[in-house]
Amino acid sequence: MPEATKIRAVKGTRDLLPPATGLWQRVEDEARRVFAAYHFGEIRTPVLEPADLFARSVGADTDIVTKEMYTFEDRDGERLALRPEATASVVRAYIEHGLFNQGRVNKLYYIGPMFRRERPQKGRYRQFYQIGAEVLGSEAPSIDAELLEMLVLLLDRLGLRGCRLLLNSVGDSHCRPEYVKVLRRALENMQGRLCADCQRRAATNPLRVLDCKVEADQPLIAKLPSILDHLCPECRAHFERLQAELGQRGVKYELAPRLVRGLDYYTRTAFEITSDVLGAQNAVLGGGRYDGLSELLGGPAAPGIGFAIGLDRLILAVEAVGQLKPQEGLAVYIAWLGEAALPPAIELATELRRADWSVELDYEPAKLKKSLGTASKLGARFTVIIGEGELASGRYQVKNMATGEQQEVPAARVGGYLQERIGSTFFARAEIGR
Ligand SMILES: [Zn+2]
Ligand SMILES: [Zn+2]
């Protein structure tokens, strides 16, 4: 047979393998636990959506939709897209299932892959992962405050202390157009002094100038008028109420009047959390209020607020800090010597596994030395040895792989013996989620 060429993963995508996935699971478990504490429910929407959903929400002329989104024509001619983000999907589902009729606020979270065909570079993938949450059905500032408090708790649980919460209000359809006019005038006076991108943005979407990361532009951008001086009374009251409540909740924040979101449907609260671990410019997450999105997608007026965390980068930060450990690996390896020892070995493995211990055993007859080698390679904490002598005496050898210490333990006591030494933290499933 001719040698077949190897098939590789699609460019810009990657396989996540154990044991690295152990940390992903820990982070996701922590997120689920924190979200549950704030009474968020999980929503799982399809990865495939009508392409039009994102053209209408994210915007038909944005880079995401024009350059990065994976779109294709299905066999029946329908234009489909791999979702580049999930907020639009969540709002679509909210409308489609009439969740607004439930007479209460909907608090939803998601964890899953998103797709954007970006230029491949370190830490950026074309299939990337996000954890996000959305609260739909109320514009109460208390919701914004609770969401931010929840985020701070989550980052704390992940060991990411010392994060900075940057907070702004981007106004609404009453006050923002006025501000944009003021901004446009100020930008006209700076013509030719800002970077090329900014000059283009000054004409098309002046708010995005505030977003510019070019170092040389910063002194000029700092001189531009602040949106916080141009909020209407309602937006100002909303923002003040939010800040007061953050104070009550002990959530620290910094005002960031240049923090904007480029899309028109964003209103009022906008925020970003940065971590020094990822470098000063690097946000761990961003989010904000989007009171007009539901209507944009053909739904009823339904104010909403949400955030998305880039999981790929979050994991890098969690790894760098090293506070959160991956789920524990292998607790016990069982080495059986001779066919007669296999049934009791299986019996012990089953007993320990039913108690949620992570257990591995030889699948084929092996010499003791080889079994111990395997056990140590797999990182087992203890190896239980069952050979002819052990069968005869009814006492198994239990070897502590770290210290090399070995002890004879009556067969029926092995579970209890291990429990005393390893403690309850060494379950295959972490305590989380129980
Ligand atoms: Zn610029
Ligand atoms: Zn306003």
Side-chain angles (χ1 to χ4, degrees):
M1 225 165 73
E3 207 177 309
T5 51
K6 274 190 205 130
I7 297 178
R8 296 182 162 276
V10 173
K11 188 173 175 185
T13 70
R14 61 171 168 166
D15 301 304
L16 296 165
L17 308 171
T21 39
L23 191 59
W24 285 71
Q25 288 178 348
R26 264 315 291 281
V27 168
E28 289 166 12
D29 284 345
E30 289 293 342
R32 287 179 196 281
R33 194 152 73 158
V34 169
F35 294 156
Y38 284 80
H39 198 230
F40 278 68
E42 184 181 7
I43 182 169
R44 300 191 188 195
T45 61
V47 162
L48 276 180
E49 293 277 5
D52 195 36
L53 174 65
F54 304 105
R56 270 160 73 182
S57 58
V58 179
D61 50 3
T62 56
D63 279 0
I64 293 178
V65 169
T66 58
K67 295 184 193 154
E68 296 167 0
M69 193 161 76
Y70 284 92
T71 50
F72 63 94
E73 202 164 282
D74 201 359
R75 288 167 202 272
D76 61 5
E78 194 184 359
R79 293 284 300 162
L80 300 182
L82 293 177
R83 63 179 183 193
E85 58 106 47
T87 300
S89 303
V90 172
V91 175
R92 177 200 49 71
Y94 173 81
I95 297 167
E96 189 166 338
H97 302 283
L99 300 185
F100 45 86
N101 286 326
Q102 294 176 346
R104 60 183 167 81
V105 166
N106 276 271
K107 299 159 86 169
L108 303 164
Y109 79 87
Y110 59 84
I111 301 178
M114 312 292 154
F115 304 84
R116 290 185 201 177
R117 200 175 191 286
E118 292 190 87
R119 210 158 27 83
Q121 47 178 310
K122 197 176 177 293
R124 288 213 177 263
Y125 300 94
R126 291 178 173 181
Q127 174 172 335
F128 58 101
Y129 294 82
Q130 283 188 341
I131 296 184
E134 316 287 347
V135 185
L136 290 150
S138 168
E139 56 176 18
S142 201
I143 299 222
D144 308 32
E146 187 185 81
L147 194 77
L148 291 168
E149 179 194 280
M150 178 172 84
L151 274 170
V152 170
L153 177 64
L154 174 58
L155 294 174
D156 194 64
R157 288 279 166 83
L158 300 179
L160 295 175
R161 300 194 177 92
C163 287
R164 293 166 67 207
L165 167 58
L166 308 176
L167 188 65
N168 195 20
S169 173
V170 295
D172 61 4
S173 57
H174 302 296
C175 51
R176 193 166 50 216
E178 270 315 302
Y179 170 68
V180 171
K181 266 188 220 160
V182 173
L183 188 60
R184 226 182 262 276
R185 269 200 299 278
L187 284 169
E188 274 161 22
N189 295 331
M190 289 182 183
Q191 206 132 64
R193 290 150 70 200
L194 291 162
C195 76
D197 277 341
C198 279
Q199 309 217 29
R200 190 171 44 77
R201 292 182 195 127
T204 56
N205 191 348
L207 282 176
R208 293 310 301 260
V209 173
L210 302 175
D211 238 3
C212 178
K213 301 278 187 277
V214 173
E215 202 56 54
D217 283 3
Q218 299 311 312
L220 289 169
I221 289 170
K223 284 198 198 104
L224 290 169
S226 160
I227 190 158
L228 293 180
D229 298 327
H230 293 84
L231 295 178
C232 67
E234 289 76 19
C235 287
R236 188 186 311 280
H238 189 275
F239 196 46
E240 275 165 10
R241 190 58 235 233
L242 166 59
Q243 293 179 71
E245 239 192 71
L246 287 175
Q248 284 162 23
R249 292 166 187 261
V251 176
K252 293 202 179 68
Y253 62 92
E254 296 166 35
L255 290 184
R258 318 282 163 210
L259 177 67
V260 291
R261 312 248 130 216
L263 306 175
D264 279 348
Y265 64 76
Y266 278 106
T267 51
R268 295 184 175 167
T269 313
F271 57 87
E272 226 172 68
I273 295 184
T274 62
S275 163
D276 286 346
V277 180
L278 292 170
Q281 296 271 355
N282 286 322
V284 180
L285 64 95
R289 196 159 259 299
Y290 45 83
D291 291 350
L293 181 55
S294 172
E295 287 148 291
L296 207 59
L297 295 176
I305 183 170
F307 63 82
I309 307 177
L311 196 45
D312 304 77
R313 288 160 48 70
L314 181 71
I315 298 280
L316 287 181
V318 169
E319 235 166 21
V321 171
Q323 283 250 47
L324 193 72
K325 297 289 176 239
Q327 281 182 357
E328 300 284 6
L330 187 59
V332 181
Y333 195 89
I334 302 174
W336 50 273
L337 309 165
E339 289 293 335
L342 180 57
I346 290 173
E347 197 183 322
L348 178 62
T350 305
E351 178 201 328
L352 295 176
R353 284 168 169 167
R354 287 193 176 156
D356 285 344
W357 294 73
S358 175
V359 177
E360 193 61 274
L361 70 168
D362 287 323
Y363 292 112
E364 290 175 43
K367 296 241 160 56
L368 181 58
K369 197 172 160 205
K370 188 175 171 225
S371 298
L372 286 174
T374 308
S376 126
K377 217 183 290 167
L378 295 177
R381 290 275 296 273
F382 284 85
T383 301
V384 178
I385 301 158
I386 311 175
E388 251 175 68
E390 286 75 22
L391 281 181
S393 68
R395 299 166 72 85
Y396 299 167
Q397 299 288 336
V398 181
K399 187 181 173 86
N400 182 326
M401 299 301 285
T403 64
E405 178 204 1
Q406 195 164 310
Q407 196 143 18
E408 244 182 40
V409 181
R413 271 271 304 139
V414 169
Y417 176 89
L418 290 169
Q419 171 99 53
E420 283 157 25
R421 268 141 200 93
I422 298 177
S424 56
T425 60
F426 216 85
F427 289 113
R429 273 190 281 151
E431 292 164 282
I432 294 160
R434 295 173 149 250

